Amino acid sequence: MEELRVKRRIVLVPVPAQGHVTPIMQLGKALYSKGFSITVVLTQYNRVSSSKDFSDFHFLTIPGSLTESDLKNLGPFKFLFKLNQICEAGFKQCIGQLLQEQGNDIACVVYDEYMYFSQAAVKEFQLPSVLFSTTSATAFVCRSVLSRVDAESFLLDMKDPKVSDKVFPGLHPLRYKDLPTSAFGPIESILKVYSETVNIRTASAVIINSTSCLENSSLAWLQRELQVPVYPIGPLHIAASAPSSLLEEDMSCIEWLNKQKLGSVIYISLGSLALMETKDVLEMAWGLSNSNQPFLWVIRPGSIPGSEWTESLPEGFSKLVAERGYIVKWAPQMEVLRHPAVGGFWSHCGWNSTLESIGEGVPMICRPFTGDQKVNARYLERVWRIGVQLEGELDKGTVERAVERLLVDEEGVEMRKRAIDLKEKLEASVRSKGSSCSSLNNFVSSLKMKNFM
Ligand code: UDX
């Protein structure tokens, strides 16, 4: 392949949500360190901070895109559809303006798979583009499979407990009920969004925030199916750490952790979107308290419907928490997971949280809420064997037992060993000559080739 005069600008198009912003900004940092200039194109609902950590990046806003109140009114799925409709013209305008002002130095447009409107502009201006997947490779495989099923019969299967407990053909060990269906919308909309996200259109490559030591067979499946190079370059939080928390982190929890015994604390966080029913919060508090283990619990404002924060919970809740617990609105999660007092992570199993926990060798209690989290939870329990999944109704007895299994029993010790083994593999994969490091270098080299498009 012939080498081109190397173009030096990479345009990033993130989804305005924490779980998507974090990895794409880390990718930006990784590419910046390879000598590229980074332009981040935001929607008006801006969830990216152009803080000092990103002072070397250039930021643009798509004119006329949706706002935070649109998200509240429409809900995530309708918001996504509308965002993709509405941003198409504005994004073309942004790219047109960028080309005019800077000349054509765009090496490629890297867009989050959910921001598929980007493709109209790259087609019009004949720019190379790359799809960036912020979920696991296995979740991508599932979305591809789901995008081809018949919505009606799939819905019937999901409603039949005899079927939904069975392994989905070809996706072992995932059961029907582990597939990434969503709590945020009807199945028809979900399958429609999925078929948009897995349609790579004119993208020349796919970048995934994962690594071969975690998902070799899913990555191979994608490589076969997609017919463009697939670059697993993760975990990005180890390869290129870039602080991009959208909420203020309460650092007081680190002081609290400093006072706890080694490996004794269960850290609980359900990410940036998941919601909790009051009755589940109470069962959790009860079970955690009965387990006699200290716990650090992130309760995001607004995550308990009908409550600003925790004020609607009965008085008994504060009593249960007071003795052994510490509650914050948002934690410095990476620091928490790295803290020697933390012995386990109760998580909704978002892909970032999953990678961060494995990256610190911390075993997990898995309580997925929606979408790809269910896939990750099943893999944590059955494939990597470093998690205990809580299924069905939550009750204090199961909560207590899960905490004991993770933090007290021999089973937990074994899980911790496997988690530490995986942590070492992840670290090796992003080091020089590791698979993810080589994958990133191969991607960068491919940008210099004439037929990258
Ligand atoms: C969403 C989806 O739910 C997830 O399944 C998908 O893979 C990505 O988009 P989210 O629910 O926010 O993400 O979960 P997750 O992917 O785990 O990301 C949450 C991020 O917020 C993590 O990077 C975590 O470190 C950070 N976080 C969370 C904090 O910094 N502090 C907290 O208190 C809680």
Side-chain angles (χ1 to χ4, degrees):
M1 270 185 283
E2 206 180 315
E3 275 215 17
L4 279 183
R5 184 185 71 80
V6 181
K7 293 188 174 166
R8 281 291 167 205
R9 181 168 306 279
I10 290 185
V11 177
L12 301 178
V13 190
V15 164
Q18 180 76 72
H20 294 256
V21 164
T22 301
I24 207 166
M25 296 306 273
Q26 289 161 345
L27 176 65
K29 282 279 179 188
L31 294 170
Y32 181 78
S33 75
K34 301 279 176 195
F36 291 96
S37 317
I38 305 295
T39 294
V40 185
V41 181
L42 305 169
T43 63
Q44 270 174 326
Y45 173 36
N46 172 16
R47 302 305 314 269
V48 182
S49 131
S50 48
S51 69
K52 60 175 175 18
D53 297 307
F54 302 108
S55 56
D56 297 318
F57 291 10
H58 170 220
F59 289 86
L60 284 178
T61 301
I62 301 174
S65 45
L66 301 181
T67 61
E68 188 155 5
S69 64
D70 292 314
L71 174 62
K72 284 203 181 107
N73 296 335
L74 295 167
F77 270 96
K78 282 194 185 146
F79 178 83
L80 254 181
F81 278 127
K82 199 155 176 207
L83 191 71
N84 272 285
Q85 279 164 6
I86 237 167
C87 286
E88 203 174 291
F91 184 60
K92 278 187 194 167
Q93 208 177 312
C94 277
I95 294 291
Q97 188 190 331
L98 194 63
L99 291 171
Q100 216 170 33
E101 285 168 9
Q102 316 266 354
N104 186 359
D105 69 340
I106 298 179
C108 74
V109 173
V110 178
Y111 65 97
D112 187 296
E113 57 203 336
Y114 285 92
M115 302 299 259
Y116 47 86
F117 66 80
S118 310
Q119 276 285 344
V122 299
K123 212 166 152 199
E124 179 159 322
F125 295 107
Q126 297 192 347
L127 297 170
S129 67
V130 170
L131 182 144
F132 178 46
S133 180
T134 63
T135 59
S136 66
T138 311
F140 197 135
V141 171
C142 291
R143 280 186 280 115
S144 307
V145 170
L146 284 181
S147 69
R148 295 177 208 150
V149 301
D150 171 63
E152 221 170 290
S153 56
F154 179 69
L155 195 58
L156 286 176
D157 285 341
M158 292 295 283
K159 282 186 179 154
D160 180 350
K162 282 197 261 72
V163 180
S164 77
D165 273 335
K166 282 198 182 136
V167 168
F168 192 92
L171 292 178
H172 185 83
L174 300 173
R175 300 158 297 183
Y176 279 74
K177 63 181 179 188
D178 300 317
L179 298 183
T181 52
S182 174
F184 292 121
I187 192 79
E188 291 79 7
S189 319
I190 294 155
L191 300 187
K192 194 159 167 255
V193 171
Y194 286 174
S195 63
E196 298 285 5
T197 64
V198 299
N199 178 358
I200 63 165
R201 297 177 178 86
T202 62
S204 314
V206 171
I207 297 180
I208 297 202
N209 186 19
S210 188
T211 176
S212 51
C213 69
L214 289 180
E215 300 192 278
N216 207 13
S217 58
S218 298
L219 285 164
W221 190 99
L222 289 178
Q223 190 57 84
R224 272 194 314 274
E225 288 281 316
L226 295 177
Q227 298 184 349
V228 294
V230 174
Y231 296 101
I233 59 163
L236 278 161
H237 77 277
I238 310 180
S241 130
S244 46
S245 184
L246 303 173
L247 299 172
E248 198 183 330
E249 295 163 338
D250 184 341
M251 301 305 288
S252 68
C253 61
I254 302 294
E255 280 155 45
W256 180 84
L257 283 173
N258 289 342
K259 294 182 202 129
Q260 311 305 321
K261 284 197 202 120
L262 199 71
S264 66
V265 174
I266 179 101
Y267 166 59
I268 306 139
S269 164
L270 308 182
S272 62
L273 299 167
L275 305 175
M276 290 183 289
E277 294 296 327
T278 301
K279 69 172 179 27
D280 288 346
V281 177
L282 292 175
E283 293 294 331
M284 280 168 80
W286 213 289
L288 287 163
S289 167
N290 289 351
S291 75
N292 288 329
Q293 295 296 137
F295 57 93
L296 168 61
W297 194 347
V298 177
I299 302 189
R300 246 177 32 249
S303 62
I304 305 171
S307 192
E308 284 269 317
W309 189 35
T310 54
E311 70 286 351
S312 71
L313 297 173
E315 221 175 274
F317 174 77
S318 324
K319 262 201 200 144
L320 285 172
V321 169
E323 213 178 315
R324 277 181 209 85
Y326 194 75
I327 296 191
V328 290
K329 292 180 177 165
W330 193 249
Q333 181 158 305
M334 285 308 309
E335 270 184 62
V336 168
L337 289 171
R338 206 172 289 140
H339 198 287
V342 172
F345 180 13
W346 175 320
S347 171
H348 71 312
C349 305
W351 187 234
N352 295 291
S353 295
T354 302
L355 288 176
E356 288 162 6
S357 201
I358 302 176
E360 295 304 328
V362 177
M364 294 164 83
I365 293 179
C366 309
R367 179 71 178 172
F369 170 66
T370 187
D372 63 317
Q373 300 155 16
K374 296 184 282 172
V375 176
N376 304 336
R378 184 72 170 166
Y379 263 58
L380 281 159
E381 187 179 65
R382 290 300 173 99
V383 178
W384 306 314
R385 294 168 54 231
I386 56 168
V388 172
Q389 186 169 185
L390 288 179
E391 297 191 77
E393 292 275 300
L394 265 192
D395 75 78
K396 52 181 182 295
T398 8
V399 171
E400 182 184 344
R401 192 62 208 112
V403 175
E404 280 168 3
R405 281 175 69 190
L406 208 68
L407 294 184
V408 183
D409 294 359
E410 186 54 32
E411 188 189 0
V413 176
E414 293 303 316
M415 277 194 262
R416 168 67 94 161
K417 278 190 203 151
R418 284 191 287 271
I420 289 173
D421 184 47
L422 272 181
K423 165 192 160 78
E424 284 161 6
K425 288 188 174 138
L426 292 193
E427 285 167 353
S429 74
V430 298
R431 271 202 297 270
S432 171
K433 299 208 171 68
S435 64
S436 292
C437 178
S438 306
S439 201
L440 179 64
N441 289 338
N442 292 343
F443 170 64
V444 169
S445 307
S446 75
L447 291 178
K448 299 178 190 164
M449 297 303 166
K450 193 174 176 192
N451 60 357
F452 181 83
M453 213 170 139

